[in-house]
C-alpha cells in the first residue's frame, strides 16, 4: 500500500513538473513574475506538496528562480545567459560529434539522413514551434550517436532553456541552408572525417550576442503583445 502511494505521488509530481516546465519554457509565466503557488495548485488540481517538489526541480534545472522568503519567480530573458547556453550547447555537440565519428553505426547515420530527407528542406506550413522541434530531434539524434547519455541529458536541458528564443530565431533562418548543413555534418560523420563536420557544426550552432539580444527584444514583444491588445480593448 505504501509503495503504491509512493508511485502515485511520484506520478503526480512528474505530471505537474511537465506541465509547469511547458508553462515556463513558453513564458506563460511572465519574465520576472512571481509564481502564484495557490493559483497554480488550483489550476492544475494538485496539493501544495507535489507542486513544491516540481517547482524545486525546475529551479534546480534553471527554468525558475527561487528567492528565500519571497518564493519562485519566472526567469528573465537574459541575453548573456542565453549566449552562455548557446556556447554550452556548441561545446557539448562538438565534443559529442567527435565521439560519434568513432562510435556511430552506419545504420543510425543512415536513419538520420532518412529523417532529413523525409522532413525536407522546405518549411511548408509548419509553425516555428514545429520547426524547432524537428531541429532538436536532429541534433539530439546526432548527439545520441556518441553513446553518452549524460551529454544527451545536458543538451535536452539546454535546448529547453533556449527554446523560446529559438522559436523567434527560426523565423530568420534559411531552412534550406540549415538542412544542407545538417546533411554535411552527417556525411562527415559517416566518412569518419572530423575536418568535414566539426567546422560546419560549429558555425551552424554559433550565435552572436547581438543576434540573441535582437531575438529577445522580439520575444518580449510577443510575450506582452496579448496583454497590450487586451488593455486597448
Amino acid at each position: 500500500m505504501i509503495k503504491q502511494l509512493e508511485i502515485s505521488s511520484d506520478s503526480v509530481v512528474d505530471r505537474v513538473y511537465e506541465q509547469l516546465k511547458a508553462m515556463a519554457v513558453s513564458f506563460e509565466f511572465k519574465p520576472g513574475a512571481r509564481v502564484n503557488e495557490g493559483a497554480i495548485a488550483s489550476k492544475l488540481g494538485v496539493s501544495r506538496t507535489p507542486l513544491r517538489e516540481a517547482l524545486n526541480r525546475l529551479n534546480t534545472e534553471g527554468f525558475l528562480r527561487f528567492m528565500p522568503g519571497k518564493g519562485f519567480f519566472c526567469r528573465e530573458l537574459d541575453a548573456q545567459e542565453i549566449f552562455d547556453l548557446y556556447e554550452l550547447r556548441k561545446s557539448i555537440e562538438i565534443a559529442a560529434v567527435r565521439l560519434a565519428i568513432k562510435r556511430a553505426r552506419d545504420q543510425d547515420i543512415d536513419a538520420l539522413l532518412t529523417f532529413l530527407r523525409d522532413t525536407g528542406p522546405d518549411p511548408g506550413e509548419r509553425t516555428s514551434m514545429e520547426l524547432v522541434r524537428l531541429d532538436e530531434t536532429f541534433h539530439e539524434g546526432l548527439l545520441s550517436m556518441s553513446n553518452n547519455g549524460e551529454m544527451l541529458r545536458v543538451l535536452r536541458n539546454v535546448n529547453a532553456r533556449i527554446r523560446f528564443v529559438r522559436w523567434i530565431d527560426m523565423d530568420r533562418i534559411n531552412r534550406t541552408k540549415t538542412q544542407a548543413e545538417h546533411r554535411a555534418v552527417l556525411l562527415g560523420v559517416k566518412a569518419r572525417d572530423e575536418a568535414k563536420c566539426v567546422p560546419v557544426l560549429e558555425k551552424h550552432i554559433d550565435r552572436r550576442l547581438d543576434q540573441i539580444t535582437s531575438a529577445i527584444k522580439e520575444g518580449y514583444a510577443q510575450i506582452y503583445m496579448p496583454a497590450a491588445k487586451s488593455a486597448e480593448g
Side-chain angles (χ1 to χ4, degrees):
M1 182 65 176
I2 293 175
K3 186 176 181 180
Q4 182 61 44
L5 287 173
E6 289 175 349
I7 292 172
S8 298
S9 177
D10 289 345
S11 176
V12 171
V13 172
D14 289 342
R15 175 177 64 82
V16 174
Y17 164 81
E18 291 297 339
Q19 289 175 302
L20 289 176
K21 182 177 176 180
M23 295 166 75
V25 166
S26 63
F27 283 94
E28 188 172 331
F29 305 123
K30 296 294 187 289
R34 183 175 178 276
V35 176
N36 186 326
E37 293 183 42
I40 296 297
S42 178
K43 179 178 180 178
L44 301 183
V46 295
S47 68
R48 291 291 187 95
T49 300
L51 176 65
R52 180 55 70 99
E53 287 188 42
L55 288 170
N56 280 319
R57 280 175 62 181
L58 291 167
N59 172 60
T60 300
E61 294 174 3
F63 293 99
L64 297 175
R65 307 280 188 242
F66 177 72
M67 297 179 65
K70 295 183 178 180
F72 293 90
F73 292 79
C74 182
R75 65 198 172 108
E76 300 279 358
L77 271 168
D78 181 84
Q80 186 61 53
E81 180 180 294
I82 299 297
F83 178 78
D84 291 347
L85 287 168
Y86 265 101
E87 282 197 330
L88 176 58
R89 177 191 167 196
K90 182 171 66 174
S91 66
I92 291 170
E93 290 204 45
I94 289 172
V97 84
R98 288 185 170 124
L99 292 175
I101 288 169
K102 302 173 185 175
R103 300 174 179 175
R105 301 183 306 171
D106 283 344
Q107 56 263 45
D108 292 333
I109 299 171
D110 290 339
L112 202 51
L113 283 167
T114 299
F115 169 78
L116 287 180
R117 184 196 66 206
D118 291 347
T119 53
D122 187 353
E125 299 299 316
R126 300 184 185 103
T127 65
S128 295
M129 293 182 187
E130 291 169 332
L131 291 172
V132 168
R133 173 47 60 191
L134 288 176
D135 192 77
E136 288 179 355
T137 299
F138 169 80
H139 283 276
E140 290 174 11
L142 178 64
L143 192 142
S144 294
M145 295 179 198
S146 70
N147 295 326
N148 189 308
E150 288 303 305
M151 279 184 168
L152 182 59
R153 180 183 61 80
V154 173
L155 179 63
R156 284 174 173 161
N157 173 271
V158 170
N159 279 341
R161 291 168 66 190
I162 65 174
R163 190 171 295 149
F164 187 85
V165 172
R166 294 209 61 225
W167 289 338
I168 307 298
D169 196 35
M170 187 58 69
D171 293 333
R172 312 174 183 194
I173 289 175
N174 181 330
R175 181 169 166 80
T176 300
K177 179 174 179 291
T178 59
Q179 290 292 83
E181 290 168 351
H182 286 170
R183 180 176 171 81
V185 170
L186 273 179
L187 291 177
V189 173
K190 190 168 185 176
R192 315 295 165 174
D193 189 338
E194 185 176 313
K196 285 186 177 180
C197 56
V198 168
V200 178
L201 183 61
E202 185 171 17
K203 186 176 180 180
H204 174 79
I205 297 171
D206 205 29
R207 291 292 182 278
R208 300 191 313 271
L209 186 58
D210 64 309
Q211 293 173 317
I212 293 170
T213 301
S214 176
I216 284 175
K217 286 180 180 177
E218 189 173 334
Y220 268 111
Q222 291 195 18
I223 288 169
Y224 288 103
M225 193 180 299
K229 287 183 178 179
S230 177
E232 291 172 3

